[in-house]
Amino acid sequence: MGMLEIRDLSISYGQHRAVEKASLRVAKGEIVVILGANGAGKSSILRAAAGLLPAMPGSSFEMNGRDITNCPPDEFVEAGIALVPEDRAIFAELTVQENLKLGAYPKRARKKAPDNLARVLALFPRLAERPRQRVQTMSGGEQQMVAIGRAMMSAPAILLLDEPSLGLSPLLCSELFRSLARIRSTEIGILLVEQNAKRALAIADRGYVLENGCVTASDRSEVLSSDERVRKAYLGSDGSSINLR
Amino acid sequence: MDILIGGFLLGGTYALMALGLQLQYGVARIMNLANGEMLVAGAFGAFWFYSGFQMRPFLAIVLIVPLAFVVNWAIYHYLLTPLVRRAKSRGQLEVDGILATFGMSFILVGLMLAVFGGEYFSYSYLERAVFVLEQPYGLNRIAAFCASLVFCIALVVWLSHTRSGLALRAVAVNPTAAGLVAIKVARTSAIAFAIGGAVTASGGALLSMFLTFDASIGVIFTLKALIIVILGGVGEIRGTVAAAFLLGLAETAVASLVDPGLTLAAAYLLFIVVLLVRPRGLFGSRS
């Protein structure tokens, strides 16, 4: 069915509690956005959901009903979760082709690699033009394509994206959001952390509002967009400009 | 001309031992200062099989390589994994690794002294002269060079054209990202360290065919391997091979044109010049 269920997730860094009992759910074919100010714990949730950060006792991750709490990162990937972190985590010294090939390293992805590659190259034609280019010599937007493309090569059921539009020009940003809609149409679920709240809510199906590590609201994105508090905090009161309080 | 050929022959074996260190440092991030001792152990292995069982060195390598793989895997698993777990950053792991393997090199020297004693060892195998461009070269040198070349090429092809080789390079480039594509980083590091040790040991076995060695000569080869790896650029396989040939040529040139006692000094001079001019190595990528 393709469903990630995060229950009562708590994360701390030493004494500092970054996330407090957050529960989130993403199903296949939907885009879910996490809204919140800087330092609210958005990135921590995504990193924990990829197995990169240890969760506190009591937290649980389920993928299609299977418990993967406390598994190493490679088992999160094998379960169908792929993360594109904020720093993109690409293999900068390797070529585009090698990055995509590594994306298909998980066992779940090996057989489907040719199909997935065709899908990724259809989504990002620019990657097809320069398979042998080293990724570190590419522009920020192209590197983001490599990062997302590599994540999609692992045949994920759920894609976790941390600030994918960061550092992109407005034009590339629009292109990125169109790509996300196309990825959703291939039955992949997307959990999105995005500074551009207005754009994110426009494309998302549902959203969560995170304040100081706690989920304080969760609803359909139309409802969140018209919510007075959300408008004030993340969309600017008149809804026309982006304002990070 | 004979300097060129002599340097080339030497460079081939240097390339092999430096590739071993490159794998250990590039992938597992262990700057293995006991690398030279592993090389000497390989040399002793070849010597022991030859003098005890009349086994040809090329046959002995078939036994030495898997043996060295197992020993190095055990070293990584039991001695170095606690350091890897404890290290908060790659930098800290490098420092801890240098200290731990430095200590380990003394243990290995001591073990080899205890088993084989302190005298010099050599054996004669394929000690015939072969004429290349009317200059005589030992057949054993040429055979060792050819074998090194075959190993180097096999290693480079494996690293650049197979899935498992690509996984190794992925861990070298970005361990976090490697975890995100379901590569088992800890296991891959252990395997890279073990393969690196096995490659170095095979280099030692080949060197022993034409070199007189003793239990405590390892440190010189550690230094040479270190120079080659830094010279070629960390993580640069082709750079390592090129730097090895460069060092072989420089040493041979200095030994025959100036004074044989100055070879190590010449190596260091080359090293310092490159570090000053190209701090990331001859082929190191600038990012």
Side-chain angles (χ1 to χ4, degrees):
Chain A
M1 203 184 87
M3 154 100 83
L4 169 64
E5 181 100 48
I6 304 171
R7 275 196 216 97
D8 295 329
L9 171 63
S10 302
I11 302 166
S12 37
Y13 298 100
Q15 292 292 317
H16 172 66
R17 181 63 66 95
V19 177
E20 180 79 54
K21 295 211 170 188
S23 294
L24 303 93
R25 179 168 60 77
V26 192
K28 66 172 187 177
E30 67 169 349
I31 297 181
V32 177
V33 63
I34 307 178
L35 299 174
N38 279 337
K42 296 168 293 180
S43 292
S44 299
I45 290 179
L46 290 198
R47 290 174 63 79
L52 289 182
L53 266 186
M56 305 276 290
S59 316
S60 90
F61 295 97
E62 263 181 27
M63 189 69 192
N64 300 332
R66 195 165 78 85
D67 185 23
I68 51 172
T69 320
N70 298 326
C71 283
D74 55 273
E75 281 180 47
F76 276 75
V77 184
E78 296 288 3
I81 302 169
L83 167 69
V84 180
E86 197 178 331
D87 67 4
R88 293 176 188 147
I90 38 180
F91 300 101
E93 284 99 328
L94 304 184
T95 65
V96 172
Q97 205 171 26
E98 288 171 329
N99 268 272
L100 295 181
K101 213 187 260 182
L102 279 166
Y105 188 85
K107 287 185 203 78
R108 65 178 279 125
R110 288 183 193 179
K111 269 193 198 141
K112 294 173 247 167
D115 293 347
N116 283 328
L117 183 63
R119 205 162 58 154
V120 168
L121 295 182
L123 196 61
F124 304 116
R126 215 162 314 170
L127 299 185
E129 290 163 19
R130 35 186 100 165
R132 292 180 171 278
Q133 187 170 352
R134 281 196 185 202
V135 175
Q136 64 190 357
T137 63
M138 300 179 105
S139 72
E142 290 164 341
Q143 290 190 5
Q144 191 60 263
M145 290 177 196
V146 173
I148 296 175
R150 195 205 56 210
M152 292 196 42
M153 287 298 292
S154 70
I158 303 292
L159 199 56
L160 313 174
L161 300 177
D162 197 351
E163 304 277 13
S165 75
L166 201 70
L168 300 190
S169 69
L171 195 72
L172 278 172
C173 194
S174 310
E175 203 177 305
L176 173 85
F177 277 96
R178 274 198 298 276
S179 315
L180 295 190
R182 257 178 291 163
I183 293 171
R184 167 173 57 189
S185 69
T186 61
E187 297 289 271
I188 292 175
I190 298 178
L191 183 58
L192 179 68
V193 165
E194 181 54 58
Q195 47 163 0
N196 193 335
K198 195 179 161 200
R199 270 219 137 109
L201 274 176
I203 193 182
D205 301 284
R206 293 187 299 114
Y208 294 90
V209 176
L210 199 66
E211 283 176 282
N212 297 318
C214 298
V215 173
T216 51
S218 98
D219 216 320
R220 302 199 53 79
S221 40
E222 307 91 77
V223 182
L224 285 179
S225 305
S226 53
D227 183 288
E228 198 52 43
R229 262 176 42 227
V230 173
R231 288 173 75 96
K232 250 196 179 130
Y234 308 112
L235 301 174
S237 47
D238 58 355
S240 64
S241 66
I242 310 143
N243 172 20
L244 297 170
R245 43 174 179 200
Chain B
M1 198 62 208
D2 55 327
I3 293 175
L4 227 60
I5 294 175
F8 215 65
L9 291 178
L10 192 61
T13 16
Y14 281 179
L16 198 55
M17 76 176 188
L19 278 181
L21 184 63
Q22 177 70 272
L23 280 175
Q24 296 187 323
Y25 183 56
V27 181
R29 283 290 142 166
I30 302 290
M31 181 45 93
N32 185 7
L33 291 188
N35 184 264
E37 274 64 40
M38 204 44 69
L39 178 119
V40 175
F44 269 119
F47 171 80
W48 188 67
F49 280 121
Y50 189 74
S51 56
F53 306 90
Q54 279 78 49
M55 192 185 279
R56 273 175 280 149
F58 290 116
L59 205 60
I61 286 179
V62 178
L63 298 174
I64 290 170
V65 165
L67 206 67
F69 181 91
V70 172
V71 168
N72 278 278
W73 186 86
I75 288 175
Y76 187 85
H77 190 75
Y78 293 105
L79 263 59
L80 300 173
T81 303
L83 301 183
V84 175
R85 291 237 174 86
R86 196 181 69 182
K88 290 194 176 66
S89 67
R90 269 194 153 184
Q92 195 194 348
L93 176 60
E94 282 183 31
V95 174
D96 286 357
I98 285 173
L99 293 175
T101 55
F102 188 50
M104 195 166 71
S105 72
F106 289 106
I107 297 176
L108 289 175
V109 169
L111 279 176
M112 288 189 287
L113 274 175
V115 175
F116 292 97
E119 59 265 42
Y120 285 90
F121 292 86
S122 67
Y123 57 92
S124 47
Y125 173 68
L126 294 180
E127 250 181 13
R128 254 169 290 143
V130 174
F131 287 85
V132 182
L133 297 174
E134 293 171 17
Q135 282 285 327
Y137 297 94
L139 181 58
N140 44 18
R141 275 178 189 265
I142 293 176
F145 170 79
C146 293
S148 300
L149 215 59
V150 169
F151 283 178
C152 285
I153 291 171
L155 208 57
V156 170
V157 167
W158 173 64
L159 282 172
S160 46
H161 293 288
T162 67
R163 188 204 300 276
S164 49
L166 184 59
L168 232 69
R169 285 193 293 143
V171 173
V173 169
N174 190 338
T176 314
L180 287 177
V181 296
I183 293 171
K184 291 183 168 66
V185 177
R187 207 182 64 175
T188 308
S189 299
I191 289 172
F193 188 88
I195 292 175
V199 167
T200 302
S202 72
L206 291 174
L207 270 172
S208 74
M209 285 167 52
F210 60 88
L211 202 80
T212 305
F213 59 94
D214 71 329
S216 54
I217 203 173
V219 63
I220 291 176
F221 289 101
T222 304
L223 291 177
K224 287 181 183 180
L226 205 69
I227 291 173
I228 293 169
V229 167
I230 305 295
L231 213 56
V234 175
E236 296 288 326
I237 300 295
R238 289 188 187 98
T240 305
V241 175
F245 281 116
L246 194 64
L247 187 72
L249 280 174
E251 285 193 352
T252 314
V254 169
S256 56
L257 298 177
V258 191
D259 187 279
L262 286 177
T263 48
L264 210 55
Y268 267 104
L269 190 67
L270 187 71
F271 181 54
I272 289 169
V273 169
V274 170
L275 270 191
L276 286 176
V277 182
R278 307 214 30 169
R280 297 182 67 95
L282 284 177
F283 299 85
S285 47
R286 292 135 289 164
S287 49

